[in-house]
mmCIF file with all atom_site columns, all heavy atoms in Angstrom:
data_model
loop_
_atom_site.group_PDB
_atom_site.id
_atom_site.type_symbol
_atom_site.label_atom_id
_atom_site.label_alt_id
_atom_site.label_comp_id
_atom_site.label_asym_id
_atom_site.label_entity_id
_atom_site.label_seq_id
_atom_site.pdbx_PDB_ins_code
_atom_site.Cartn_x
_atom_site.Cartn_y
_atom_site.Cartn_z
_atom_site.occupancy
_atom_site.B_iso_or_equiv
_atom_site.pdbx_formal_charge
_atom_site.auth_seq_id
_atom_site.auth_comp_id
_atom_site.auth_asym_id
_atom_site.auth_atom_id
_atom_site.pdbx_PDB_model_num
ATOM   1  N N   . ARG A 1 42  ? -3.497  -12.349 3.810  1.00 0.00 ? 42  ARG A N   1
ATOM   2  C CA  . ARG A 1 42  ? -3.383  -11.742 2.483  1.00 0.00 ? 42  ARG A CA  1
ATOM   3  C C   . ARG A 1 42  ? -2.092  -10.920 2.305  1.00 0.00 ? 42  ARG A C   1
ATOM   4  O O   . ARG A 1 42  ? -1.558  -10.565 3.371  1.00 0.00 ? 42  ARG A O   1
ATOM   5  C CB  . ARG A 1 42  ? -4.697  -11.038 2.164  1.00 0.00 ? 42  ARG A CB  1
ATOM   6  C CG  . ARG A 1 42  ? -4.693  -9.491  2.499  1.00 0.00 ? 42  ARG A CG  1
ATOM   7  C CD  . ARG A 1 42  ? -5.541  -8.690  1.403  1.00 0.00 ? 42  ARG A CD  1
ATOM   8  N NE  . ARG A 1 42  ? -5.879  -7.400  2.052  1.00 0.00 ? 42  ARG A NE  1
ATOM   9  C CZ  . ARG A 1 42  ? -5.177  -6.391  2.405  1.00 0.00 ? 42  ARG A CZ  1
ATOM   10 N NH1 . ARG A 1 42  ? -3.833  -6.580  2.350  1.00 0.00 ? 42  ARG A NH1 1
ATOM   11 N NH2 . ARG A 1 42  ? -5.624  -5.308  2.848  1.00 0.00 ? 42  ARG A NH2 1
ATOM   12 N N   . TYR A 1 54  ? -2.506  -4.163  9.304  1.00 0.00 ? 54  TYR A N   1
ATOM   13 C CA  . TYR A 1 54  ? -2.696  -5.586  9.590  1.00 0.00 ? 54  TYR A CA  1
ATOM   14 C C   . TYR A 1 54  ? -1.489  -6.197  10.353 1.00 0.00 ? 54  TYR A C   1
ATOM   15 O O   . TYR A 1 54  ? -0.393  -5.664  10.140 1.00 0.00 ? 54  TYR A O   1
ATOM   16 C CB  . TYR A 1 54  ? -3.095  -6.461  8.464  1.00 0.00 ? 54  TYR A CB  1
ATOM   17 C CG  . TYR A 1 54  ? -4.420  -6.350  7.858  1.00 0.00 ? 54  TYR A CG  1
ATOM   18 C CD1 . TYR A 1 54  ? -4.712  -5.555  6.762  1.00 0.00 ? 54  TYR A CD1 1
ATOM   19 C CD2 . TYR A 1 54  ? -5.531  -6.921  8.439  1.00 0.00 ? 54  TYR A CD2 1
ATOM   20 C CE1 . TYR A 1 54  ? -5.927  -5.503  6.161  1.00 0.00 ? 54  TYR A CE1 1
ATOM   21 C CE2 . TYR A 1 54  ? -6.824  -6.844  7.907  1.00 0.00 ? 54  TYR A CE2 1
ATOM   22 C CZ  . TYR A 1 54  ? -7.033  -6.081  6.765  1.00 0.00 ? 54  TYR A CZ  1
ATOM   23 O OH  . TYR A 1 54  ? -8.238  -5.954  6.315  1.00 0.00 ? 54  TYR A OH  1
ATOM   24 N N   . TYR A 1 82  ? -8.714  -13.917 7.957  1.00 0.00 ? 82  TYR A N   1
ATOM   25 C CA  . TYR A 1 82  ? -8.789  -12.605 8.632  1.00 0.00 ? 82  TYR A CA  1
ATOM   26 C C   . TYR A 1 82  ? -9.190  -12.952 10.124 1.00 0.00 ? 82  TYR A C   1
ATOM   27 O O   . TYR A 1 82  ? -10.166 -13.799 10.243 1.00 0.00 ? 82  TYR A O   1
ATOM   28 C CB  . TYR A 1 82  ? -9.645  -11.634 7.987  1.00 0.00 ? 82  TYR A CB  1
ATOM   29 C CG  . TYR A 1 82  ? -9.271  -11.116 6.746  1.00 0.00 ? 82  TYR A CG  1
ATOM   30 C CD1 . TYR A 1 82  ? -9.641  -11.812 5.549  1.00 0.00 ? 82  TYR A CD1 1
ATOM   31 C CD2 . TYR A 1 82  ? -8.763  -9.809  6.563  1.00 0.00 ? 82  TYR A CD2 1
ATOM   32 C CE1 . TYR A 1 82  ? -9.234  -11.309 4.292  1.00 0.00 ? 82  TYR A CE1 1
ATOM   33 C CE2 . TYR A 1 82  ? -8.467  -9.329  5.270  1.00 0.00 ? 82  TYR A CE2 1
ATOM   34 C CZ  . TYR A 1 82  ? -8.746  -10.104 4.105  1.00 0.00 ? 82  TYR A CZ  1
ATOM   35 O OH  . TYR A 1 82  ? -8.436  -9.559  2.942  1.00 0.00 ? 82  TYR A OH  1
ATOM   36 N N   . ARG A 1 149 ? -14.810 -8.911  -5.576 1.00 0.00 ? 149 ARG A N   1
ATOM   37 C CA  . ARG A 1 149 ? -15.291 -7.941  -4.465 1.00 0.00 ? 149 ARG A CA  1
ATOM   38 C C   . ARG A 1 149 ? -16.616 -7.430  -4.795 1.00 0.00 ? 149 ARG A C   1
ATOM   39 O O   . ARG A 1 149 ? -17.582 -7.205  -3.965 1.00 0.00 ? 149 ARG A O   1
ATOM   40 C CB  . ARG A 1 149 ? -14.272 -6.887  -4.022 1.00 0.00 ? 149 ARG A CB  1
ATOM   41 C CG  . ARG A 1 149 ? -13.203 -7.509  -3.366 1.00 0.00 ? 149 ARG A CG  1
ATOM   42 C CD  . ARG A 1 149 ? -12.060 -6.599  -2.862 1.00 0.00 ? 149 ARG A CD  1
ATOM   43 N NE  . ARG A 1 149 ? -11.038 -7.276  -2.201 1.00 0.00 ? 149 ARG A NE  1
ATOM   44 C CZ  . ARG A 1 149 ? -10.604 -6.914  -1.088 1.00 0.00 ? 149 ARG A CZ  1
ATOM   45 N NH1 . ARG A 1 149 ? -11.102 -5.871  -0.414 1.00 0.00 ? 149 ARG A NH1 1
ATOM   46 N NH2 . ARG A 1 149 ? -9.638  -7.699  -0.416 1.00 0.00 ? 149 ARG A NH2 1
HETATM 47 P P1  . 5GP B 2 .   ? -9.319  -6.111  2.924  1.00 0.00 ? 301 5GP B P1  1
HETATM 48 O O1  . 5GP B 2 .   ? -8.631  -7.158  2.131  1.00 0.00 ? 301 5GP B O1  1
HETATM 49 O O2  . 5GP B 2 .   ? -10.051 -5.181  1.908  1.00 0.00 ? 301 5GP B O2  1
HETATM 50 O O3  . 5GP B 2 .   ? -8.512  -5.234  3.909  1.00 0.00 ? 301 5GP B O3  1
HETATM 51 O O4  . 5GP B 2 .   ? -10.505 -6.691  3.861  1.00 0.00 ? 301 5GP B O4  1
HETATM 52 C C1  . 5GP B 2 .   ? -11.371 -7.624  3.244  1.00 0.00 ? 301 5GP B C1  1
HETATM 53 C C2  . 5GP B 2 .   ? -12.501 -7.889  4.126  1.00 0.00 ? 301 5GP B C2  1
HETATM 54 O O5  . 5GP B 2 .   ? -12.066 -8.462  5.308  1.00 0.00 ? 301 5GP B O5  1
HETATM 55 C C3  . 5GP B 2 .   ? -13.279 -6.475  4.603  1.00 0.00 ? 301 5GP B C3  1
HETATM 56 O O6  . 5GP B 2 .   ? -14.636 -6.802  4.568  1.00 0.00 ? 301 5GP B O6  1
HETATM 57 C C4  . 5GP B 2 .   ? -12.749 -6.491  6.099  1.00 0.00 ? 301 5GP B C4  1
HETATM 58 O O7  . 5GP B 2 .   ? -13.734 -5.743  6.865  1.00 0.00 ? 301 5GP B O7  1
HETATM 59 C C5  . 5GP B 2 .   ? -12.627 -7.841  6.500  1.00 0.00 ? 301 5GP B C5  1
HETATM 60 N N1  . 5GP B 2 .   ? -11.707 -8.097  7.585  1.00 0.00 ? 301 5GP B N1  1
HETATM 61 C C6  . 5GP B 2 .   ? -10.676 -7.335  8.040  1.00 0.00 ? 301 5GP B C6  1
HETATM 62 N N2  . 5GP B 2 .   ? -10.243 -7.706  9.028  1.00 0.00 ? 301 5GP B N2  1
HETATM 63 C C7  . 5GP B 2 .   ? -10.974 -8.755  9.564  1.00 0.00 ? 301 5GP B C7  1
HETATM 64 C C8  . 5GP B 2 .   ? -10.938 -9.545  10.734 1.00 0.00 ? 301 5GP B C8  1
HETATM 65 O O8  . 5GP B 2 .   ? -10.243 -9.442  11.736 1.00 0.00 ? 301 5GP B O8  1
HETATM 66 N N3  . 5GP B 2 .   ? -11.929 -10.402 10.771 1.00 0.00 ? 301 5GP B N3  1
HETATM 67 C C9  . 5GP B 2 .   ? -12.860 -10.700 9.803  1.00 0.00 ? 301 5GP B C9  1
HETATM 68 N N4  . 5GP B 2 .   ? -13.825 -11.560 10.015 1.00 0.00 ? 301 5GP B N4  1
HETATM 69 N N5  . 5GP B 2 .   ? -12.948 -9.873  8.749  1.00 0.00 ? 301 5GP B N5  1
HETATM 70 C C10 . 5GP B 2 .   ? -11.955 -9.011  8.603  1.00 0.00 ? 301 5GP B C10 1
#
Side-chain angles (χ1 to χ4, degrees):
R42 90 149 157 69
Y54 281 105
Y82 292 81
R149 285 178 179 232

